[in-house]
Amino acid sequence: MEEEEEAIGFLDKVLEDEDVFLLEECELGTPTSPSSGSPFLVTVKVEAGKGLEMRKLVLSGFLASEEIYINQLEALLLPMKPLKATATTSQPVLTIQQIETIFYKIQDIYEIHKEFYDNLCPKVQQWDSQVTMGHLFQKLASQLGVYKAFVDNYKVALETAEKCSQSNNQFQKISEELKVKGPKDSRDSHTSVTMEALLYKPIDRVTRSTLVLHDLLKHTPVDHPDYPLLQDALRISQNFLSSINEDIDPRRTAVTTPKGETRQLVKDGFLVEVSEGSRKLRHVFLFTDVLLCAKLKKTSAGKHQQYDCKWYIPLADLVFPSPEESEASPQVHPFPDHELEDMKMKISALKSEIQKEKANKGQSRAIERLKKKMFENEFLLLLFPTIPLRIHNRNGKSYLFLLSSDYERSEWREAIQKLQKKDLQAFVLSSVELQVLTGSCFKLRTVHNIPVTSNKDDDESPGLYGFLHVIVHSAKGFKQSANLYCTLEVDSFGYFVSKAKTRVFRDTTEPKWDEEFEIELEGSQSLRILCYEKCYDKTKVNKDNNEIVDKIMGKGQIQLDPQTVETKNWHTDVIEMNGIKVEFSMKFTSRDMSLKRTPSKKQSGVFGVKISVVTKRERSKVPYIVRQCVEEVEKRGIEEVGIYRISGVATDIQALKAVFDANNKDILLMLSDMDINAIAGTLKLYFRELPEPLLTDRLYPAFMEGIALSDPAAKENCMMHLLRSLPDPNLITFLFLLEHLKRVAEKEPVNKMSLHNLATVFGPTLLRPSEVESKAHLTSAADIWSHDVMAQVQVLLYYLQHPPISFAELKRNTLYFSTDV
């Protein structure tokens, strides 16, 4: 103990001597040069004997503090295992997510320091002039990336711990009195410390380690084998400390190149790359100076997984080709829509089977087999994105990624462009450097799993099924007038889809849209809002997909929390994006609630009135509202991108509904002036509000049985017989709509709406189970999607793909024998 006190006293004296070095007032005490403010190394002539003794004193003091630090980490980890054990019970203290947030990287930090201590301790105990330990400090410094991840999560960890303490008395007691073991030769066996105090220890430790490196270098001869290693460790530590307070996104860790420079992982994720004409799922890593595209290697059981680098581009050489500069993309064959729908259907069916197995306490092997099948289908579904992101190497080739969302494309662009604002140098990695960098990817990655539901924990939310009503009110914060609009995206089956678009508000800094949209959710957990400036320059066309490129002004995302959303009242919120604030409101209607059809009390209108009543009153075969909406869509909306998929403005739809219900003489004038998506939305709303679906409640079970038949002849016979069984007004209207949708699909190259897309939109509207039917057979919103919606889509798709069906021929055709329905 006397030696340790002497060493600490010496350190205090050194720290007081401003001629040796200064500590600037920065958040984590980065050692800096008095003159330049930049990291520096101190070189002092060292007398061999005295230097050797001083090194031992410095190391003894550091070793003693290292023991205390390890004990503190052990105390912090002690409650983690029991907390995890209770997380899976009916009365958890904390959720798994809360535990992982609070104790993030603590286990890794503990293991690093325990190994360091175990290796350093015998060297100090058997101290002589031949002992070397520089490699231990160099290794410790090279693992500082774990600390970067810890520091970035530190604030969130503290906030989570505080909230949990306030809401759970049991956790509060645990966190207020953690027992820390005293040093081996200490009289105090344990001391009580709060969790908050212990969580700060790793942050404090980084600075302490850097100071010790300074002291060791001062007492290490320049020609000693340890000197260059300690010098390298100090350089790494100083670079790390200087980067701690940089404006970098959370949970990115430091990588050390062989040259001792610090390379930060900024972002990583799974992207689809078009390679040699086919789609490949890649894991892409964005570091502070390089973009690396990798593939996970196949390894045998028991071996560590590693990445194989497919290519890399230094950010100094990376450019985004402008639309006019980009070359036409190689021919990439899109997935046929029916294959996508088949995959979704299989995934939903497998989910249902897994739930049944779990409910019946089935064998774990059977469940794992089903999960494996589900993963395979979900994996294939992830390969279908269509939004291009092209990047180019100034010195070589171009690369093309496909993404499902403009939001995601914008995130990658912005992250790269932000890094490119720094003074970057071009370079070529040696084979060793590339191997080291690629080797670090597995440990540093922040996205561990492919975004499929089979990778989710059982306690994770399955998402929302039903209809989300969103009003986009207004936006503020634009610096200059522009033509502005917003789009809405929601997630489904692991990827995001654009669902709605406001009108363009021209030449303004404060657009006020006040537009309402109804968005169908299929297990959705997030809503994204993107704000664009409209581009009218037709020369700005992206050659990868022939679409005009509008500029993203801002973007934001919120989680769809069932407790917040599932209320009858509107919930108003604001998303902040790049200084822009977008105000919106939303409310949610579950799928089982949406099945309820309320007949109209006014038999004079058309919405909510039986189709037979309307056609009889109008003396028509097809309701006037259906004929007029179809005519207007075919006149000026048949080439509109996303027609029937993109939501119309709810207020416009309600205005049209009121006009049709009142049989107003201005209907035709209003239709000609109205946004085409609102007219398409009015047609969908009419069918949705029929007191019973167009294909009737009575025939619904038979349609479900018919579409499930395997024999083509039997299916044809059954499906045609079912059509003949419909009331005449329903059948004639259905056939009229069927031919219209086929004409819309003929323009698929322009409007992007295939027969399968149209079947997905209209199937659940024309064919739904009755309220009694749904309550009798289904238990959850997810089950409703699994069992019904996919089959409803398949029924409409069958008729859309069928050769033209004539009402007269159908009625007189005797090939179809009659069966009981």
Side-chain angles (χ1 to χ4, degrees), residues 113 122 199 274 292 296 328 363 368 405 437 445 471 578 652 729:
H113 282 270
L199 282 172
V274 179
L292 186 144
L296 199 59
Q363 293 183 355
E368 286 308 311
S405 153
L437 181 61
R445 59 186 181 159
I471 302 175
N578 297 352
D652 290 346

Side-chain angles (χ1 to χ4, degrees), residues 343-601:
M343 279 188 268
K344 288 182 181 180
M345 201 169 189
K346 285 177 186 174
I347 292 164
S348 300
L350 287 164
K351 276 184 188 175
S352 178
E353 283 187 55
I354 291 167
Q355 292 305 319
K356 283 179 186 174
E357 284 287 338
K358 287 181 177 177
N360 297 331
K361 295 183 180 178
Q363 293 183 355
S364 58
R365 281 185 182 179
I367 293 171
E368 286 308 311
R369 275 198 303 271
L370 289 169
K371 280 188 173 182
K372 186 181 177 183
K373 283 184 183 177
M374 190 164 97
F375 175 85
E376 288 168 356
N377 281 278
E378 288 188 303
F379 181 85
L380 285 173
L381 202 57
L382 288 178
L383 296 176
F384 102 101
T386 56
I387 295 175
L389 172 64
R390 184 177 288 280
I391 56 175
H392 179 70
N393 187 336
R394 293 182 206 272
N395 304 316
K397 61 183 288 189
S398 293
Y399 301 92
L400 177 64
F401 292 112
L402 297 176
L403 296 86
S404 65
S405 153
D406 207 8
Y407 187 104
E408 191 182 0
R409 175 168 66 177
S410 175
E411 278 190 322
W412 280 97
R413 274 184 192 274
E414 288 171 10
I416 291 169
Q417 288 168 342
K418 182 179 179 182
L419 293 169
Q420 288 180 323
K421 290 178 182 177
K422 299 178 182 179
D423 183 23
L424 298 172
Q425 301 295 318
F427 60 86
V428 176
L429 293 173
S430 69
S431 58
V432 175
E433 287 173 323
L434 182 59
Q435 189 177 353
V436 170
L437 181 61
T438 308
S440 70
C441 289
F442 187 79
K443 189 170 184 179
L444 297 178
R445 59 186 181 159
T446 60
V447 180
H448 292 266
N449 295 319
I450 296 169
V452 292
T453 52
S454 46
N455 279 335
K456 288 184 178 180
D457 293 332
D458 292 339
D459 58 352
E460 287 189 63
S461 168
L464 295 172
Y465 290 81
F467 294 91
L468 184 70
H469 301 263
V470 181
I471 302 175
V472 183
H473 294 294
S474 59
K476 294 180 181 178
F478 297 97
K479 293 178 181 176
Q480 57 188 32
S481 293
N483 303 316
L484 303 165
Y485 70 93
C486 285
T487 63
L488 307 179
E489 295 180 354
V490 294
D491 58 309
S492 168
F493 287 91
Y495 57 89
F496 278 82
V497 182
S498 182
K499 287 283 190 177
K501 176 182 174 182
T502 69
R503 67 184 185 277
V504 178
F505 214 100
R506 291 177 175 265
D507 196 26
T508 182
T509 56
E510 293 191 5
K512 294 181 180 177
W513 297 285
D514 288 320
E515 296 183 44
E516 183 183 337
F517 303 95
E518 182 183 78
I519 298 170
E520 188 170 6
L521 304 182
E522 303 163 5
S524 307
Q525 295 180 312
S526 301
L527 169 70
R528 289 172 170 176
I529 299 182
L530 296 91
C531 194
Y532 292 85
E533 179 182 358
K534 181 67 179 174
C535 173
Y536 292 103
D537 183 354
K538 291 187 178 179
T539 63
K540 304 278 186 184
V541 173
N542 190 323
K543 292 180 183 176
D544 288 319
N545 59 0
N546 293 317
E547 290 182 8
I548 291 176
V549 180
D550 294 339
K551 181 182 178 184
I552 295 180
M553 305 298 286
K555 62 188 189 308
Q557 175 174 311
I558 60 161
Q559 294 300 114
L560 296 174
D561 178 12
Q563 292 182 341
T564 305
V565 177
E566 288 182 328
T567 61
K568 292 181 180 178
N569 302 321
W570 287 96
H571 171 71
T572 302
D573 207 342
V574 173
I575 282 186
E576 293 194 31
M577 43 177 89
N578 297 352
I580 299 163
K581 293 183 179 180
V582 176
E583 185 183 353
F584 66 100
S585 301
M586 61 182 177
K587 67 177 180 179
F588 173 72
T589 306
S590 63
R591 192 178 284 282
D592 55 339
M593 289 297 292
S594 70
L595 290 171
K596 294 183 178 179
R597 292 172 180 256
T598 308
S600 173
K601 293 178 181 177

Side-chain angles (χ1 to χ4, degrees), residues 82 120 135 187-188 224 246 307 324 359 488 522 568 659 720 781:
L120 183 62
H135 61 288
R187 292 178 183 176
D188 299 322
H224 193 283
E246 285 182 359
Y307 283 98
E324 55 270 23
L488 307 179
E522 303 163 5
K568 292 181 180 178
V659 170
M720 291 303 138

Side-chain angles (χ1 to χ4, degrees), residues 686-715:
Y686 168 73
F687 285 118
R688 195 184 307 141
E689 290 197 357
L690 284 173
E692 105 172 317
L694 188 65
L695 300 187
T696 73
D697 288 335
R698 182 178 68 90
L699 294 176
Y700 180 81
F703 275 113
M704 294 296 99
E705 290 173 10
I707 199 64
L709 292 173
S710 301
D711 180 62
K715 183 182 284 190

Side-chain angles (χ1 to χ4, degrees), residues 133-169:
M133 45 71 207
H135 61 288
L136 299 179
F137 281 92
Q138 189 186 42
K139 184 178 179 181
L140 186 66
S142 72
Q143 294 170 311
L144 281 172
V146 178
Y147 274 87
K148 180 70 179 78
F150 174 86
V151 170
D152 284 333
N153 183 68
Y154 174 70
K155 187 179 177 182
V156 182
L158 274 187
E159 288 172 353
T160 305
E162 188 177 346
K163 285 178 185 176
C164 293
S165 292
Q166 291 170 356
S167 61
N168 190 297
N169 290 332

